[in-house]
Structure formats: structure tokens, C-alpha cells
Amino acid sequence: MSKIQIFIGSVYGGAEEVAEILREALGKLGHDVSLNTYARAEDLARDPDEVILLCHSNTGSGELPDNIQPLYLHLSRDYPRIAGRRYGVVNLGDSSYTTFNEGGRMLDAAFEDLGAQRIGEPLVLDASSGDDAATLARDWVQDWAKLI
């Protein structure tokens, strides 16, 4: 099974709740999962075989939360060597804002620009949809885990 590090970006705790759901589901599948609420540059380099799962919300203006913003800035300014690194994306947003999912696209693009390999399609959870985020996350991660 895989080692997975979940990088969390959250303002009000929603992404942390989803990350915990993902950790629990992946753990039941036999994966070794850790949560990281304050990802730093060195966390990208700690184990090149470890899969990174980005789980973050967006602010109303489409920005990333403060606790994951330094990671994005490191990716876009310092160009760390992460080519070939495998990662996934779970983005929480609200489609009532015109900047819906912008933070998720920015972070995904930063990883892709550096040659990292995204696993599967991102999960985008829309707070305005009325869907249960926990159920969507559990269903998505079951399929995502088959790809790693």
C-alpha cells in the first residue's frame, strides 16, 4: 500500500473535516496516511515515493487559505524538483462566487507545471450544491485509491 500525505488548506475547518474522512477511508484500505495542516517546502521533499493529496478550500475571492498559501508560493517562486511526484486534488468551494474553484486550479496548475503527475480527476465539492460533502468524498476516494 501507499504512503499518503494530505496537505490541508482550511479557513473554517471544512477542508479539515473532509481530510479526516479521506484519511479514515484510505486507512481502511491499508494506506499509511498522515495529515499536514501547515505544509512547508521540506514536506514536499521528505519522501519522493509518498503520494500527496491536496485537500483545501477557497476563500470567497478565489484565494487559497493562509495555511496552504506558503506552499503555493514555494511552488510558484522556488520551482522545487517534484517532477514525477504523484498527487491528487480535493477542492472545496462555493459556486455562488465567480471565482469558484480558482484556488484549486492554481494549486493543481503549480504542481502540473513542475512535472508532478496528478492521479485521477480532482474532486470539487460545491457548498451551494446541497450535496453531502462527506458522501461525495468517500465515494471519490474509493475510486481514486484504485489509481495509486
Side-chain angles (χ1 to χ4, degrees), residues 30-56:
H31 298 284
D32 179 11
V33 185
S34 63
L35 300 178
N36 188 338
T37 308
Y38 294 96
R40 299 178 321 254
E42 51 269 19
D43 296 325
L44 282 172
R46 79 178 195 188
D47 181 352
D49 294 325
E50 184 177 55
V51 176
I52 294 171
L53 181 53
L54 305 165
C55 182
H56 55 83

Side-chain angles (χ1 to χ4, degrees), residues 20-146:
E20 184 56 41
I21 290 165
L22 297 169
R23 185 202 60 75
E24 183 179 315
L26 289 164
K28 286 180 181 178
L29 294 171
H31 298 284
D32 179 11
V33 185
S34 63
L35 300 178
N36 188 338
T37 308
Y38 294 96
R40 299 178 321 254
E42 51 269 19
D43 296 325
L44 282 172
R46 79 178 195 188
D47 181 352
D49 294 325
E50 184 177 55
V51 176
I52 294 171
L53 181 53
L54 305 165
C55 182
H56 55 83
S57 59
N58 293 255
T59 66
S61 59
E63 296 293 321
L64 291 165
D66 288 344
N67 65 323
I68 202 164
Q69 186 71 249
L71 178 68
Y72 172 73
L73 293 175
H74 172 63
L75 293 166
S76 60
R77 293 179 182 169
D78 301 329
Y79 312 110
R81 294 182 180 193
I82 60 169
R85 190 74 187 262
R86 298 177 305 145
Y87 74 101
V89 180
V90 176
N91 186 34
L92 290 77
D94 186 332
S95 63
S96 67
Y97 291 96
T98 58
T99 55
F100 175 63
N101 195 26
E102 282 301 309
R105 282 191 275 256
M106 289 173 16
L107 198 50
D108 186 21
F111 270 81
E112 184 180 38
D113 288 348
L114 295 171
Q117 302 297 309
R118 188 179 69 222
I119 301 167
E121 290 300 314
L123 172 62
V124 179
L125 299 170
D126 181 2
S128 292
S129 72
D131 294 328
D132 179 47
T135 300
L136 293 174
R138 282 187 196 96
D139 292 346
W140 177 86
V141 79
Q142 294 297 319
D143 292 332
W144 184 80
K146 294 174 186 173

